[in-house]
Amino acid sequence: MCSSDLYSEGFYGDDAGLIARLGPLFKSYGVQLYINGHDHNYARTPVLNGTTYLTVGGGGASLRPVVLRRSDATAVSAHSFAELEFTASDLHLQAWDRDGARIDRGRLPTRSS
């Protein structure tokens, strides 16, 4: 498997090997957001073991279909981009398709010090 996605609603699916290797590290170090772009789609998981997984791969290559593997995930096969806004208390996320329509919106609170 050739993937940089631990959890994926796209073509490659979840990567059990990466989950086993990196998942415990993410949890141990409090990683709240993992962003990748290997699958050619947009997807956001729910919080899984403390981490949200964001795929932003709709930047221009040929799109691939999505398969919802988690009922509370968001996944769209569309040319798209994500907009992240950081404040002292939150990360605000919006994703847009190429026509300017919002396809996702979310908020992640910052971790308490």
Side-chain angles (χ1 to χ4, degrees):
M1 174 174 299
C2 177
S3 176
S4 59
D5 304 353
L6 279 73
Y7 295 95
S8 173
E9 306 302 320
F11 178 79
Y12 292 102
D14 296 352
D15 187 322
L18 282 178
I19 293 168
R21 281 188 312 215
L22 297 178
L25 289 172
F26 290 175
K27 186 170 184 163
S28 175
Y29 288 100
V31 174
Q32 292 179 273
L33 181 65
Y34 175 84
I35 304 172
N36 70 315
H38 190 68
D39 262 338
H40 298 183
N41 60 281
Y42 172 86
R44 179 171 55 99
T45 69
V47 177
L48 301 170
N49 295 317
T51 304
T52 298
Y53 295 84
L54 182 65
T55 300
V56 186
S62 298
L63 297 171
R64 295 190 181 125
V66 294
V67 177
L68 283 175
R69 293 175 177 82
R70 284 159 280 280
S71 63
D72 48 356
T74 299
V76 180
S77 180
H79 289 110
S80 56
F81 69 95
E83 172 186 353
L84 306 175
E85 177 184 354
F86 297 88
T87 68
S89 60
D90 301 298
L91 161 69
H92 297 272
L93 160 76
Q94 296 187 86
W96 307 90
D97 71 12
R98 70 181 193 181
D99 297 320
R102 186 170 49 213
I103 58 175
D104 191 23
R105 176 185 204 169
R107 176 187 156 274
L108 296 172
T110 59
R111 193 175 62 202
S112 299
S113 306

